[in-house]
Amino acid sequence: THFLFHSLQAKMSRPVQARRLEGIDKNIWVEFVKLAATYSKVNLGQGFPDFPAPDFLTEALTRALGGGNHMLHQYTRAFGHPPLVKVLAQFFGKLLGRDLDPMTNVMVTVGAYQALFCCFQALVDEGDEVIIIEPFFDCYEPMVKMAGGTPVFVPLRPNPPKDGKLMSSADWQLDPAELASKFSEKTKAIVLNSPNNPLGKVFSREELGLIAELCVKHDVLCISDEVYEWLVYDGKQHIRIASLQGMWDRTVIIGSAGKTFSATGWKVGWVVGPDRLLQHLRTVHQNSVYHCATIAQEAVAQGFQRELMLYGKPESYFVQLPKELQQKRDWLVQSLDGVGMKPIIPEGTYFLVADISPFKSDVPDVPNSDEPYDSRFAKWMVKNKGLAAIPLSAFYSEAHKNNYPNFIRFCFAKEEATLKAASDILQKWKQEKNSS
Ligand code: PMP
């Protein structure tokens, strides 16, 4: 029996997980979504609207469900339900000024998240380097690693604002020389996210031109995460890097119906790009997810048909939504500024990042802790004040997590009542501080 026990133990000590999972097991969303569910009274953490999706979209889904076509409950084409890829090809063809083939230039995915996964699995090989601009939507790093690649980080650096004004996301910029220094013969791709989560930065034509030039010079691909393409404020313009010289053939554009139509739970996303890249994404897709829910694709297709018809008109959702969100942004900016939690005014997205410095005295730092201060602060805030937000360090690589310890990210894609409740919590907190 002694011998038997020994051999059993030996078997059980063998690692069960694949090596590619090493070091990527933690996930900020799993942790903070749970904290918010347990403690928050007001949740400005994870990026989703708490207002309803537009009627035309939910009505399209109801029609699809109850209408005459029972085949909408069955499988559809693997790489995208034909009505959806057709209208996406038309819509993005118009935006990019080029003829798109719905069958080869578009693929539908389970949210932008799976689109990203397909890109990294299909295009990144062992030993390849992938440039990621910090701060970044956190999944880029583990996804690159899972594909065997090495993430190479380049920061957006803040320039101090002029004469006491609030900072803007536009004040966070790439250093051109530093960016250029990250490109080498090992570089396979760069991930671009404009408008950027978490800062809300909308990259300018000059900034995109610089990135494009380096991509062309070094024969590098661009994975362009444009899920917030319609959420751009103050008359700013979202520029698609794929429309710049030499970029179409090396760019994959990623979009999300969740962000586009305020229905993040539907998890319908897409990629648009040249067949020479998309053919490999299709290989990953057909060997993993295979295809996405037919009925949700049908309803999203109808949403896009409506938007194609109303393109640029005041009734268009893509015109109305940013107007509404800009108001919500201004509202949250005002209430944060009012309590001294200085916000960085975002040019786009659902999010803004704010400086928590004046509130730090309530939340003691623990010297030499593994946890960045902003993360400790965000946890304290949700547990003690019932307000959920996300620490900025969640959007930095391990080595840079302590670079900006005094910022947290708020989501303002919320009902007025939610934003008011958040503002009330902050004001009460500030009064308590003043009187203590
Ligand atoms: N990219 C960015 C920059 C995001 O912020 C998100 C969602 N938070 C995604 C991709 C994923 O989008 P989806 O919900 O469509 O999977």
Side-chain angles (χ1 to χ4, degrees):
T1 55
H2 187 74
F3 172 76
L4 185 68
F5 178 70
H6 236 79
S7 64
L8 269 177
Q9 265 220 327
K11 270 210 176 116
M12 288 180 64
S13 65
R14 168 180 170 174
V16 291
Q17 86 278 26
R19 257 175 315 175
R20 64 180 168 275
L21 301 190
E22 269 165 34
I24 61 166
D25 52 330
K26 271 216 203 103
N27 181 298
I28 167 84
W29 304 108
V30 174
E31 191 180 6
F32 274 85
V33 167
K34 188 171 161 204
L35 277 170
T38 313
Y39 297 106
S40 79
K41 292 191 207 86
V42 181
N43 186 359
L44 303 191
Q46 204 187 10
F48 61 87
D50 71 347
F51 47 82
D55 287 346
F56 67 82
L57 192 77
T58 49
E59 282 161 13
L61 184 64
T62 313
R63 267 199 311 278
L65 267 172
N69 186 359
H70 66 271
M71 290 312 285
L72 291 175
H73 294 279
Q74 304 306 327
Y75 292 136
T76 183
R77 179 174 164 269
F79 308 117
H81 188 46
L84 181 55
V85 289
K86 274 181 202 154
V87 73
L88 285 171
Q90 270 181 294
F91 204 97
F92 282 90
K94 184 179 166 110
L95 296 173
L96 293 161
R98 104 181 7 254
D99 270 343
L100 297 183
D101 173 7
M103 299 300 147
T104 59
N105 294 136
V106 183
M107 184 176 87
V108 177
T109 55
V110 181
Y113 217 86
Q114 193 226 337
L116 288 162
F117 186 77
C118 284
C119 285
F120 294 121
Q121 286 294 317
L123 306 173
V124 176
D125 218 338
E126 295 276 336
D128 285 346
E129 291 186 357
V130 176
I131 298 174
I132 297 174
I133 301 168
E134 282 184 313
F136 58 94
F137 182 49
D138 64 297
C139 74
Y140 304 155
E141 181 181 7
M143 283 192 189
V144 167
K145 286 183 177 160
M146 215 193 297
T150 306
V152 171
F153 300 99
V154 61
L156 289 166
R157 296 186 182 276
N159 300 301
K162 290 135 234 129
D163 26 274
K165 278 218 294 221
L166 288 176
M167 199 183 255
S168 150
S169 56
D171 294 325
W172 289 65
Q173 288 168 0
L174 290 164
D175 173 336
E178 188 176 23
L179 176 65
S181 76
K182 305 290 178 183
F183 283 77
S184 73
E185 66 272 28
K186 288 207 197 111
T187 313
K188 184 67 183 288
I190 182 168
V191 187
L192 172 69
N193 174 215
S194 180
N196 161 278
N197 175 8
L199 286 171
K201 179 182 172 67
V202 176
F203 283 68
S204 69
R205 188 173 289 279
E206 292 71 45
E207 290 170 313
L208 295 175
L210 179 72
I211 295 168
E213 213 174 281
L214 287 163
C215 286
V216 171
K217 181 172 166 200
H218 296 275
D219 193 17
V220 162
L221 304 175
C222 181
I223 298 168
S224 185
D225 180 341
E226 303 184 23
V227 300
Y228 300 105
E229 60 193 323
W230 300 108
L231 308 182
V232 172
Y233 312 128
D234 306 321
K236 286 251 157 61
Q237 203 198 343
H238 171 62
I239 296 163
R240 293 176 174 75
I241 196 166
S243 69
L244 302 193
Q245 180 114 49
M247 287 308 287
W248 166 256
D249 280 328
R250 57 182 70 253
T251 303
V252 182
I253 302 171
I254 293 173
S256 163
K259 310 291 171 169
T260 297
F261 291 116
S262 310
T264 57
W266 287 25
K267 290 296 283 188
V268 174
W270 57 82
V271 292
V272 170
D275 188 35
R276 79 166 189 123
L277 301 181
L278 260 59
Q279 71 178 111
H280 305 298
L281 272 61
R282 291 197 290 272
T283 306
V284 177
H285 187 73
Q286 79 199 5
N287 291 308
S288 51
V289 164
Y290 193 73
H291 101 61
C292 318
T294 309
I295 206 132
Q297 294 190 66
E298 171 72 21
V300 171
Q302 293 190 24
F304 265 105
Q305 279 154 14
R306 174 191 189 269
E307 287 302 305
L308 190 60
M309 229 161 55
L310 296 176
Y311 185 72
K313 301 216 170 96
E315 309 93 283
S316 158
Y317 192 64
F318 300 167
V319 173
Q320 283 174 353
L321 180 64
K323 267 199 196 149
E324 277 169 33
L325 283 172
Q326 182 172 323
Q327 273 177 1
K328 293 176 190 294
R329 175 200 67 171
D330 292 345
W331 219 83
L332 187 60
V333 162
Q334 264 183 17
S335 37
L336 287 168
D337 194 27
V339 296
M341 225 183 237
K342 278 205 165 37
I344 300 167
I345 300 173
E347 306 155 274
T349 75
Y350 280 169
F351 307 111
L352 66 75
V353 168
D355 185 346
I356 55 177
S357 300
F359 289 82
K360 283 173 72 175
S361 56
D362 279 354
V363 189
D365 198 359
V366 176
N368 306 321
S369 137
D370 279 346
E371 187 173 19
Y373 179 75
D374 59 348
S375 171
R376 187 177 299 282
F377 185 95
K379 284 181 188 167
W380 186 94
M381 189 170 79
V382 72
K383 286 183 186 162
N384 292 277
K385 301 290 170 187
L387 178 59
I390 305 291
L392 184 61
S393 58
F395 305 91
Y396 279 86
S397 62
E398 205 53 47
H400 302 152
K401 278 198 189 302
N402 291 307
N403 282 12
Y404 300 99
N406 299 333
F407 289 99
I408 54 176
R409 189 201 77 174
F410 292 101
C411 173
F412 56 80
K414 304 292 173 188
E415 299 273 21
E416 237 173 86
T418 313
L419 296 172
K420 169 119 183 24
S423 169
D424 289 348
I425 289 176
L426 290 169
Q427 256 167 27
K428 189 156 165 259
W429 186 4
K430 192 189 169 205
Q431 277 157 15
E432 283 162 10
K433 282 183 71 61
N434 287 348
S435 60
S436 65

